[in-house]
Amino acid sequence: MPVNKVLVVGGGITGSVLCLALAQRGVGVELVEVSPQWFGVGHGITIQGNALKALRSVGVLDRVLARAVPFDVMRLRRADGGLITELETPHTGGADLPSTAGALRSDLQDALCDAVYAHGVTVRLGLSVRGLDQSADHVDVTFTDGSTGRYDLVVGADGINSAMRALIGITTRPRPVGMSIFRVVARRPAEMDCAEVYYGGPRYKAGYSPISDDQCYAYLLDENLDASLIGPRASLDLLRERGAGYGGTWGKILASLPDDTAVDYRWIEAVLVDEDWHRGRVIVVGDAAHACPPLIAQGAAMCMEDAVLLAELVTADEPVDRALARFMARRLPRVRMVLDNSLQLAEWEIHPDTPGADPARIMSETLASLTVAA
């Protein structure tokens, strides 16, 4: 086996799935996470079928689905709540899995964290990488606490603002897409049985997804407001003001939010390292290499696919350099397609009068193309 000891930097979805996939193949894995506490944030996440497939491969699917809400359709609505169309969403993970599941992000991360510990991965919190010294057959790592380690492979899974990306000399940086998102977790109305999206209102788009028996995840896509508003405790009054004009179930959710509701507000950014993601035996994956607007809900899926495939290839019989080259050949075209189509959707939603704009078509075509194995 080309690698026996791997360092994973970043304990989010990508890093956690990668740790599990490697540990299940007999690799000694160490995980460092810069946060002193390891848990997922509380807002919702949409998990497409190909992500569910990845979760099944690392043994946590049953636990995730026990609390999540699976569904196979998506509805598009007008701002007043009137139905535009109902779309059957492709089963990107195979016919035996739901096409989509809505979940609380913290439930997903808790399942991954528990599994990582159960598989014997060494986890070190409040720590990151300060320096790298590579040779032909290993990487010597200096950590931010002054300690050191030697590894066969180092993987940066430290998110869209990756420090590892810069550390290995990749200069690509995220850029704002031109839209922002308000997100809340709310009480789930009885009639909500799948994800629904509202078009044609005063903002770019509103929507929601069920994430548990009694909770839903609701969001509003808006223009980029003042950067000082960005954070996990944005103003509920501002969300109420910006969300006025949407009816139906979305309007009901907005009106029902208690005054102490946690509102997360972010500018949406995108990044694609459109070249090799590795330098020698160090590679960045997941959002550190590619992150797209959440308009096709494929961000987490692309990250999980990275993790599972990388573990598979670097534990096969090929030398590391060939395994990483094969990984790039399979992953870059796929994530580029998802990113390009997500950016096209963002452009159409910012400029809805664009001739030929057809969000339903591009969403359906993208998901259909992802039914082919990663």
Side-chain angles (χ1 to χ4, degrees), residues 143-156:
F143 296 99
T144 49
D145 66 353
S147 62
T148 60
R150 176 168 289 184
Y151 306 91
D152 300 316
L153 181 70
V154 176
V155 184

Side-chain angles (χ1 to χ4, degrees), residues 163-187:
M164 289 295 295
R165 187 174 60 225
L167 198 59
I168 63 174
I170 296 174
T171 59
T172 308
R173 294 188 55 80
R175 62 176 181 84
V177 170
M179 57 171 51
S180 63
I181 185 167
F182 291 89
R183 296 180 289 199
V184 296
V185 172
R187 185 182 304 111

Side-chain angles (χ1 to χ4, degrees), residues 4 15 22 77 79 101 108 110 121 133 142 192 198 200 209 211 221 241 254 273 283 338 342 355:
N4 294 293
L22 289 167
R77 295 189 179 276
L108 172 59
D110 286 348
V121 174
D133 185 13
T142 302
M192 186 188 298
Y198 288 58
S209 175
I211 57 174
L221 290 180
E241 174 192 332
L254 185 63
V273 178
I283 184 170
V338 171
S342 298

